[in-house]
Amino acid sequence: IISIFLTYPLETTRTYLSLQTNKNKYTGIMDALKRLPIKQLYQGSKMSLFGFGGYSGIQYTSYYYINTLIKDTNFDSKLIGGGLAGLFSVSITYPTDLVRRRLQLQGFDSTVPKYNGICDTIRKVYKYEGFFGFYRGLSMTYLKTAPAVAIQFWTIEHLNTLFKNEDKIL
């Protein structure tokens, strides 16, 4: 919660800066942080808190179960298990990320649809885009998530092994 609270304005600023063309709204990160109201910097943060908790919980739980199923294979189970856990967790929690991003973009410009909170966003996405509207952009997220989470769990496991072995030496 603290991490999201402290870094969320940077996430919003990054999103705004990546959407503008030719620095037509903000000249850089400091300019955007100074000019955007606090409320606008934190739009979508509630959904982010909700989604990230679920994502992390599902990711670590599924990694544990997937890894117990595949640990006796010829593959590095940490990489495979991590990649599959990432895909599984993001598949379940992706709608929270989509809603967060939609809320985050409020006020960017007049082409952004207007939403009045989480429930209104969910209602409008479903009404105008259907169930699959909640998964718009998921395929690109898969390309990023699988390798990132695979490397994350592989690193965690190898560092744990390294530090456990170091304790025996000392």
Side-chain angles (χ1 to χ4, degrees):
I1 289 172
I2 292 168
S3 172
I4 289 174
F5 179 76
L6 293 175
T7 62
Y8 199 80
L10 297 173
E11 175 74 23
T12 302
T13 304
R14 178 184 68 112
T15 300
Y16 277 39
L17 291 173
S18 69
L19 292 174
Q20 72 178 0
T21 55
N22 300 326
K23 297 185 179 183
N24 61 347
K25 284 186 166 260
Y26 309 104
T27 58
I29 191 166
M30 292 309 293
D31 181 43
L33 287 170
K34 287 177 191 173
R35 292 180 38 206
L36 288 168
I38 294 287
K39 184 177 179 183
Q40 197 168 350
L41 286 170
Y42 281 95
Q43 288 179 145
S45 60
K46 290 177 192 171
M47 197 68 197
S48 188
L49 290 169
F50 177 73
F52 186 73
Y55 173 76
S56 294
I58 293 167
Q59 185 183 75
Y60 279 89
T61 302
S62 61
Y63 173 74
Y64 170 78
Y65 285 109
I66 291 168
N67 220 28
T68 36
L69 293 173
I70 64 171
K71 69 179 176 182
D72 295 326
T73 63
N74 292 330
F75 301 106
D76 189 336
S77 63
K78 294 157 194 73
L79 283 172
I80 303 294
L84 290 173
L87 293 175
F88 181 67
S89 59
V90 80
S91 296
I92 293 171
T93 62
Y94 189 77
T96 64
D97 191 49
L98 181 117
V99 170
R100 175 194 62 82
R101 279 184 275 119
R102 298 273 178 109
L103 289 168
Q104 192 177 50
L105 290 174
Q106 296 297 287
F108 179 71
D109 66 26
S110 60
T111 63
V112 176
K114 302 288 184 240
Y115 301 109
N116 294 316
I118 293 170
C119 292
D120 184 51
T121 307
I122 292 169
R123 193 173 22 256
K124 286 179 178 173
V125 168
Y126 186 74
K127 180 179 179 180
Y128 297 112
E129 302 174 48
F131 176 77
F132 292 107
F134 291 105
Y135 291 91
R136 191 174 296 254
L138 179 61
S139 57
M140 291 308 292
T141 301
Y142 281 157
L143 294 176
K144 174 189 166 202
T145 301
V149 177
I151 293 167
Q152 169 192 327
F153 279 109
W154 182 86
T155 304
I156 289 169
E157 294 287 351
H158 282 282
L159 287 174
N160 279 338
T161 303
L162 177 72
F163 290 132
K164 285 178 185 172
N165 288 338
E166 191 173 290
D167 287 344
K168 291 177 185 174
I169 294 170
L170 297 175

